[in-house]
Amino acid sequence: GVREVEASPISSNTLLRRYLVTDPMALLRYALPVSAPSATPEKPPAVRQIQTALENIEVDLRTPAPRGPRAAARSVKRVRAMMQSRVKVEMLLDVPKDRRDKAAVLVGGVERGLEKLEAGVAELGDVKKGAKKGLAQRKNEVRDVLAEVLDDVGKIEELMVPSSGLPFNMSKKYEDLPRLEGRARIAITVQKGAKEGVTNFPEGFIDLNGVRLGKEMTFEAVLDGYSAPLTAGNFLDLAVNRHFYDNLPVDAQSSKNFYLSVGGADANVPTPARKVPFEVKLDGERKPQWGSTLDDAGVADLQPALPVTAYGALALAHPEDDPNGGAAQVYVFVIDPKADMARSFGGNLYNGNLAATFGYIVENEEFLKQVEPCDKILKVVALEGMDRLVNGNSK
């Protein structure tokens, strides 16, 4: 049998969790099934201790001055102290021996990043009182450094995940369906104004400074087979092996502007037709549940490991009367991270009910709000992870 490994719960800290559930990269880190010998039921893996301490700095940055910058400075010092303690040693020893050299390089990057972070946080206290614009700019610079450090931490965690297969046994009922055993990264190119329709962006995509970027934009997405192997595998097979979404129009946009849809009413159903069960993995659980929505399973108040609340969530639609009838229609959720809808702890109507989340847009996601029903997907290509797709091109 397969040794089952748990992903970490997103966070037991309610305040921190409110922000984490709007951050795709944080959610993807927590969803990794990290295998760590140092962990105990009472003590999370060393790398998770570092990760959580770093993520708490974001809460400090959201706290008004002068309390916020002072708290952030204390938090950074706390992380640096952890990196000079047994925690750093345990973090390296938790990585399999043949990958430990790579981990050591990444640990060095974390330490250098923490030095920059400490200097950046110290500068927040130098901003003159009342200079809100200057403080906001400095905070964003600190956030950029924090994101780089957390990226290195995430890469260390990836080294602690089994190199092949899934950390749980798949249900035999679905073993012939395509499945993604791990993660994949894809590039989705969207072309504006590809069909007739009213557009708010007649000259193409525009950045925050008003610079025109042209009619095409490429978004990168991470598909998470650890949390949604069948749903992610189905999408990857359709998108890359069958080119199903190439030249397909964006066919819908919610009236409240919080999701886009593609592969729905105007699309031809893939041939041969394939039925994908509703698949959702609850936060902290070992493996997904299949064949029922959270509502149907009586756990609608619980949080999925991959909530739709993070901006750029990708989710497979299912017919209301058939939770096992997923095919090709995909929602891209663009819920405002500052909205109450995004920061709800659980029980969000769309989490695990309207559609099954299988990944997130992680590059150029800020341009998703400029995508409209008069646009189309030009092409989808795989950047990495096709070797983890099992049963591709199957029925």
Side-chain angles (χ1 to χ4, degrees):
V2 176
R3 187 170 71 89
E4 296 191 340
V5 183
E6 289 190 36
S8 292
I10 295 170
S11 177
S12 57
N13 180 326
T14 305
L15 180 60
L16 175 58
R17 188 181 181 115
R18 285 177 64 200
Y19 301 121
L20 293 180
V21 296
T22 67
D23 182 345
M25 297 309 296
L27 292 168
L28 288 167
R29 282 192 294 271
Y30 277 103
L32 280 170
V34 168
S35 178
S38 72
T40 68
E42 296 77 31
K43 186 183 73 171
V47 69
R48 297 285 195 206
Q49 295 175 45
I50 296 289
Q51 177 186 324
T52 301
L54 284 166
E55 284 163 346
N56 271 303
I57 297 170
E58 175 59 30
V59 177
D60 297 334
L61 292 173
R62 292 171 187 253
T63 305
R67 283 176 51 232
R70 288 174 186 165
R74 289 193 296 271
S75 295
V76 174
K77 285 182 180 177
R78 192 178 304 118
V79 182
R80 293 201 71 183
M82 290 171 72
M83 290 297 289
Q84 293 167 6
S85 71
R86 178 69 187 170
V87 174
K88 173 185 171 181
V89 178
E90 287 181 354
M91 183 164 62
L92 280 169
L93 291 177
D94 280 342
V95 177
K97 198 171 182 179
D98 61 335
R99 306 181 196 172
R100 218 165 274 165
D101 287 346
K102 290 181 180 178
V105 172
L106 291 165
V107 166
V110 170
E111 291 175 322
R112 289 188 296 275
L114 285 170
E115 288 178 18
K116 289 171 64 178
L117 201 55
E118 190 168 45
V121 168
E123 289 178 2
L124 294 178
D126 298 335
V127 178
K128 291 182 180 179
K129 193 174 182 180
K132 287 186 178 180
K133 190 174 181 181
L135 183 61
Q137 183 178 340
R138 289 281 178 87
K139 281 187 175 182
N140 285 334
E141 290 169 358
V142 170
R143 285 189 175 101
D144 289 342
V145 177
L146 180 59
E148 290 174 8
V149 176
L150 279 165
D151 187 53
D152 279 341
V153 170
K155 288 175 181 174
I156 294 169
E157 291 174 341
E158 288 173 7
L159 294 174
M160 298 164 65
V161 174
S163 58
S164 62
L166 291 168
F168 52 82
N169 289 309
M170 274 297 303
S171 168
K172 290 187 177 181
K173 185 177 179 181
Y174 306 119
E175 62 184 7
D176 292 333
L177 289 173
R179 65 181 180 272
L180 180 61
E181 295 189 341
R183 288 188 174 166
R185 196 175 183 104
I186 60 170
I188 305 167
T189 301
V190 174
Q191 184 182 58
K192 289 206 66 64
K195 69 174 187 175
E196 289 186 13
V198 178
T199 176
N200 294 312
F201 305 95
E203 295 173 343
F205 291 95
I206 303 170
D207 73 7
L208 289 173
N209 298 314
V211 177
R212 298 171 188 171
L213 303 174
K215 297 278 188 179
E216 296 178 12
M217 178 61 63
T218 297
F219 302 90
E220 289 188 19
V222 173
L223 312 184
D224 185 15
Y226 295 122
S227 301
L230 299 180
T231 316
N234 175 68
F235 179 81
L236 187 62
D237 182 51
L238 289 176
V240 178
N241 284 340
R242 301 193 187 199
H243 304 283
F244 172 76
Y245 298 98
D246 291 5
N247 297 307
L248 213 55
V250 176
D251 53 38
Q253 188 173 33
S254 75
S255 58
K256 294 185 179 178
N257 234 26
F258 66 85
Y259 69 76
L260 300 160
S261 169
V262 66
D266 295 336
N268 293 318
V269 176
T271 304
R274 178 192 296 156
K275 284 194 167 188
V276 180
F278 203 104
E279 179 177 50
V280 59
K281 184 169 176 284
L282 289 170
D283 181 27
E285 291 292 313
R286 287 187 176 90
K287 62 183 180 181
Q289 61 179 42
W290 294 284
S292 64
T293 66
L294 294 190
D295 255 346
D296 292 341
V299 289
D301 59 332
L302 299 182
Q303 182 81 53
L306 302 180
V308 301
T309 46
Y311 195 86
L314 297 170
L316 183 68
H318 289 256
E320 285 186 27
D321 59 348
D322 184 6
N324 288 301
Q329 184 181 10
V330 171
Y331 290 112
V332 184
F333 284 90
V334 285
I335 297 173
D336 182 353
K338 295 179 181 177
D340 288 340
M341 180 200 273
R343 291 180 289 153
S344 62
F345 180 83
N348 187 301
L349 173 65
Y350 307 102
N351 270 336
N353 289 305
L354 176 67
T357 313
F358 60 89
Y360 296 101
I361 304 285
V362 296
E363 291 287 342
N364 289 332
E365 67 274 16
E366 64 271 26
F367 296 104
L368 284 171
K369 281 288 190 183
Q370 297 181 32
V371 177
E372 306 164 289
C374 55
D375 304 336
K376 75 173 181 180
I377 291 180
L378 203 59
K379 61 181 178 180
V380 182
V381 297
L383 302 177
E384 57 186 59
M386 284 301 290
D387 57 324
R388 289 176 169 250
L389 179 64
V390 177
N391 294 336
N393 276 321
S394 69
K395 292 183 180 180

